[in-house]
Amino acid sequence: MKNNKGFTLVELITSFALASVIMIFIFNIVVILKNNYISKSVRTDLLIKQSLLSQKMNEDFTNNNVKDVVTCDSDKKCYEFTFADDTVKQLKISADDKTITYGDYTYELTNSSYASKINVSAKSITLDDVTLNDSLLVIDIPILNKKYTDTNFGVKVVYQYNSHIVDLNTEEVTPFAFNVGDYVIMTPTSTSFATDPAMTGYATSQTINPSELNVWRIIDVKSNGRVDMVSEYVSSVDINFSGVKGYKNYIGYLNTIAAQYANNSYTVSTRYAGYSDQTKILTSTSYYDGSNYNVSSWTTSTTDNSKETIGGGDYGKKDADINLIKAIGSVQANNAKAYRIGTTDVTKYWIASRYYYHVKDNSASPAVEKFSFRGDAIAINGLSDSINIREYDLYDNGVKEWVNAENSSAAIRPIVTLKAGVTPSSGNGTAASPYVLD
Amino acid sequence: MKKNSKGFMLIDTLIVSITVSAILIYLYFQFANVNDSYNKAFKYNNVERLYAGADIKENILYNGKDSIYSTINSNSFVDLSDCPATYYNNTDYCNMLYSSLDIKKVLITKSNLNDLKTLMSQAANVNNYDETLRDLIKKSPDTSDGYQLFMEFNNGEAAVVWIKEA
């Protein structure tokens, strides 16, 4: 007898469901493969052209000295290089940004790709040894694609040369020039730093977010191409220093805190505002001991830089940075005031400078000289201020005693130094449109 | 003989489903591997970065100190990422060059990479060097002589060049 029952409804539904899942999965794979094929072929094409152009240019610049660079238009789309053997090669981007020509070679860019400008910059430093390379010519042609917005398929050629041997005319090549007062956006790499109570002397650890201070002002442009910047704002958190421990570690630890504001890509060093080779960590405060400080000949002086290493204060060393900060006058011209980040509140911040203050009290018996161990700060009124970290009394009968370990706090304002040759990606350096380092 | 008219059993359905799923999962991972390999392929040793390596190599040859090579012999590799004055005659020029080439890390090591490969698996180095660079070191062969220069760039690419002469 023949089986004429066919499939049951459940079998059919199960089969269709299974087949549908498989079909949807396979269809998705086909679509992904198709998209991948198209996008990868665009990417492969761009990378091959990048390699070819890079090879052509690098071969010329490696095997031949360059003696002249001139622009052929005003739009930064054409440069002409003259080599030592008098060959001349032109690097040019076409009017529609779709074609790049170098010498005899022309590269047509894939659809939705474009090259809009050629950046040529000359960088140089002064070296004592004239036999070493001291200069760079950097030729950068960014090539972008609308699908891969985060990838640069461009070519960057770096030509190293010795300016004492190669007479390269770069008159028409202008290195990127920062000016004092320019605004720069740069985000520190670190997002969290906890202070060490063993260094601050404060009872508990405090946490700062270095990346919050991302607006900077140029305060110094150095001859070696490096640039010093101070944070436009001060930290949202105040940091405490306390007692003998805090006073001794004060300058060193402010520099440790400043180091947290580095950016791995752009900064070469950091320092705390006001630091200028003062003793970072004091191992002794013996200046206040009887052997160094004779109570019978008390002086009204409040500083003695020659005794800085044993706690004599460093009056004057902070002034170099303070004057640079005053010159940019963030809040008010010729003033070192600063707002707390995210607010319009002028806020007191530490300055890397130790200060001591003493006053003689003859009315007491025996007479007593009272010392205050202080850290310098910029007060809310913008003037230099000093904050007690520790007090100390010295009696003329030779007795001395520590009093009042104070918990003193102020905000943080670091300085960072940019590497030579840093070029911003956008902006014009004004407060409304800062240079952007990203 | 009477034919089987019971249709599929639950066990039949399960076996087919599991088999098909296994095949699809296998295909998916194979495809993901190919895709990943394609993306990674362009991160290592592309022409642009090999020429950057040639620039760093030139700087080491003319601006580097002999202490580089003595340190390699005692420590297996030297980290030149911060242009240390111990190893460079001129650190300012070195910094300017690194910045222009978008360099993040520079390591110089011996021709034989066994020591470096072992060191790169240690926790301190895992934290200090990105996966791309460690991966390149892991996959790179020894050279017959000289030194090898590994570089990592700010955009995550990496390259290795051979320094034949010290």
Side-chain angles (χ1 to χ4, degrees):
Chain A
M1 191 178 110
K2 260 193 168 181
N3 170 21
N4 57 2
K5 285 188 175 175
F7 295 114
T8 65
L9 183 60
V10 172
E11 286 169 0
L12 277 173
I13 290 172
T14 310
S15 305
F16 275 118
L18 259 176
S20 302
V21 167
I22 295 165
M23 289 303 290
I24 290 168
F25 193 89
I26 290 175
F27 182 75
N28 273 338
I29 285 187
V30 171
V31 169
I32 291 168
L33 280 172
K34 179 179 162 255
N35 289 340
N36 254 346
Y37 175 78
I38 294 168
S39 63
K40 303 288 187 201
S41 65
V42 169
R43 192 171 177 179
T44 306
D45 185 75
L46 281 168
L47 288 166
I48 288 170
K49 280 171 180 163
Q50 177 195 41
S51 300
L52 287 170
L53 183 57
S54 180
Q55 189 188 10
K56 290 286 174 203
M57 291 184 68
N58 272 296
E59 271 180 8
D60 282 345
F61 283 86
T62 305
N63 300 326
N64 220 338
N65 281 331
V66 188
K67 65 178 187 182
D68 200 10
V69 184
V70 293
T71 51
C72 345
D73 67 1
S74 57
D75 295 337
K76 286 190 166 184
K77 289 190 175 184
C78 178
Y79 278 89
E80 207 166 75
F81 302 95
T82 306
F83 293 92
D85 61 3
D86 287 332
T87 55
V88 177
K89 290 205 172 173
Q90 201 175 68
L91 178 65
K92 188 178 180 181
I93 298 173
S94 64
D96 63 357
D97 296 346
K98 296 286 184 195
T99 307
I100 300 174
T101 304
Y102 176 68
D104 300 335
Y105 297 89
T106 298
Y107 301 92
E108 196 172 331
L109 298 176
T110 319
N111 265 349
S112 67
S113 305
Y114 58 96
S116 54
K117 62 178 177 180
I118 303 169
N119 300 314
V120 180
S121 58
K123 301 170 184 178
S124 192
I125 57 169
T126 306
L127 296 182
D128 293 334
D129 187 346
V130 296
T131 63
L132 296 174
N133 286 342
D134 58 1
S135 304
L136 299 177
L137 179 71
V138 182
I139 304 144
D140 184 18
I141 316 151
I143 299 173
L144 303 172
N145 183 281
K146 287 170 186 166
K147 276 185 183 169
Y148 299 100
T149 49
D150 58 341
T151 307
N152 178 7
F153 296 95
V155 170
K156 195 175 197 180
V157 175
V158 176
Y159 170 61
Q160 304 182 67
Y161 65 100
N162 183 335
S163 63
H164 300 282
I165 299 170
V166 177
D167 186 19
L168 173 56
N169 173 20
T170 56
E171 278 177 18
E172 296 194 38
V173 178
T174 312
F176 188 83
F178 287 104
N179 294 306
V180 170
D182 285 346
Y183 287 79
V184 177
I185 299 282
M186 184 204 74
T187 306
T189 306
S190 170
T191 54
S192 179
F193 175 74
T195 59
D196 180 0
M199 295 300 286
T200 60
Y202 188 53
T204 57
S205 174
Q206 296 172 281
T207 303
I208 55 171
N209 172 10
S211 66
E212 70 178 352
L213 298 184
N214 65 349
V215 181
W216 302 81
R217 299 288 299 280
I218 306 284
I219 55 170
D220 194 15
V221 179
K222 299 169 187 295
S223 58
N224 62 6
R226 292 181 180 175
V227 170
D228 280 355
M229 310 193 295
V230 69
S231 174
E232 171 74 346
Y233 302 101
V234 301
S235 62
S236 58
V237 174
D238 284 351
I239 296 297
N240 284 65
F241 286 91
S242 179
V244 181
K245 203 182 279 179
Y247 182 77
K248 284 184 172 178
N249 299 331
Y250 172 63
I251 294 182
Y253 205 59
L254 281 178
N255 277 293
T256 301
I257 292 172
Q260 311 310 314
Y261 292 82
N263 176 296
N264 294 343
S265 301
Y266 297 110
T267 59
V268 66
S269 62
T270 59
R271 71 173 182 274
Y272 194 83
Y275 177 69
S276 176
D277 293 330
Q278 294 98 326
T279 303
K280 286 185 172 177
I281 307 286
L282 287 180
T283 53
S284 162
T285 51
S286 61
Y287 182 51
Y288 306 99
D289 290 346
S291 58
N292 283 307
Y293 196 91
N294 188 346
V295 287
S296 64
S297 58
W298 286 338
T299 165
T300 55
S301 167
T302 55
T303 186
D304 185 350
N305 280 339
S306 67
K307 300 284 172 41
E308 191 248 328
T309 56
I310 52 172
D314 52 58
Y315 182 80
K317 285 198 169 185
K318 66 184 178 185
D319 291 352
D321 274 351
I322 299 297
N323 289 335
L324 292 173
I325 292 171
K326 281 182 177 174
I328 59 162
S330 318
V331 179
Q332 189 179 320
N334 296 318
N335 207 303
K337 288 181 186 178
Y339 292 128
R340 194 185 288 285
I341 183 76
T343 73
T344 51
D345 302 330
V346 174
T347 305
K348 181 165 64 180
Y349 60 90
W350 292 110
I351 287 291
S353 175
R354 289 190 191 88
Y355 176 88
Y356 78 88
Y357 174 80
H358 61 108
V359 61
K360 185 179 178 183
D361 183 2
N362 280 321
S363 63
S365 180
V368 62
E369 179 104 333
K370 293 179 179 295
F371 291 89
S372 296
F373 289 71
R374 297 178 170 186
D376 273 344
I378 295 298
I380 291 172
N381 61 11
L383 301 175
S384 184
D385 191 12
S386 56
I387 310 173
N388 281 3
I389 295 178
R390 190 67 160 115
E391 290 186 354
Y392 170 70
D393 287 352
L394 177 63
Y395 295 87
D396 68 359
N397 62 3
V399 174
K400 57 184 178 181
E401 63 183 31
W402 291 101
V403 293
N404 299 334
E406 298 194 13
N407 288 330
S408 302
S409 67
I412 295 294
R413 196 175 191 190
I415 290 176
V416 298
T417 302
L418 292 181
K419 293 175 181 174
V422 167
T423 302
S425 59
S426 60
N428 58 18
T430 59
S433 176
Y435 290 127
V436 177
L437 302 179
D438 53 9
Chain B
M1 192 180 90
K2 191 179 173 186
K3 276 199 172 180
N4 171 20
S5 58
K6 286 183 177 174
F8 297 122
M9 294 181 66
L10 179 62
I11 190 72
D12 301 332
T13 314
L14 281 176
I15 289 169
V16 172
S17 303
I18 289 167
T19 309
V20 169
S21 304
I23 292 168
L24 291 180
I25 289 168
Y26 175 78
L27 282 175
Y28 174 79
F29 281 107
Q30 288 301 311
F31 173 68
N33 278 340
V34 171
N35 203 33
D36 192 44
S37 301
Y38 174 88
N39 288 331
K40 273 188 176 175
F42 291 105
K43 282 192 163 189
Y44 301 115
N45 290 335
N46 64 46
V47 173
E48 185 81 351
R49 298 314 188 185
L50 289 174
Y51 276 110
D55 283 324
I56 299 293
K57 175 179 162 180
E58 185 183 332
N59 187 43
I60 290 173
L61 292 177
Y62 295 104
N63 188 16
K65 294 178 178 174
D66 288 342
S67 52
I68 291 178
Y69 307 102
S70 52
T71 308
I72 290 173
N73 289 330
S74 53
N75 291 341
S76 294
F77 77 97
V78 176
D79 188 332
L80 300 172
S81 309
D82 296 325
C83 294
T86 320
Y87 302 121
Y88 278 116
N89 287 309
N90 191 282
T91 56
D92 283 344
Y93 180 79
C94 172
N95 277 314
M96 188 167 77
L97 181 65
Y98 282 13
S99 169
S100 299
L101 292 170
D102 302 322
I103 292 274
K104 186 177 179 186
K105 296 278 184 190
V106 177
L107 302 182
I108 182 168
T109 186
K110 295 182 282 195
S111 55
N112 183 316
L113 298 177
N114 287 343
D115 291 349
L116 184 64
K117 285 175 183 174
T118 308
L119 287 169
M120 279 298 138
S121 60
Q122 293 176 356
N125 289 323
V126 168
N127 292 331
N128 206 17
Y129 302 103
D130 285 354
E131 190 186 354
T132 315
L133 184 65
R134 286 185 282 114
D135 202 33
L136 178 64
I137 291 169
K138 195 173 156 189
K139 289 175 179 166
S140 295
D142 296 343
T143 50
S144 55
D145 56 5
Y147 300 89
Q148 299 207 56
L149 182 66
F150 286 90
M151 291 147 296
E152 182 186 323
F153 297 85
N154 288 324
N155 67 351
E157 293 175 355
V160 54
V161 294
W162 180 26
I163 301 182
K164 196 172 180 184
E165 71 276 32

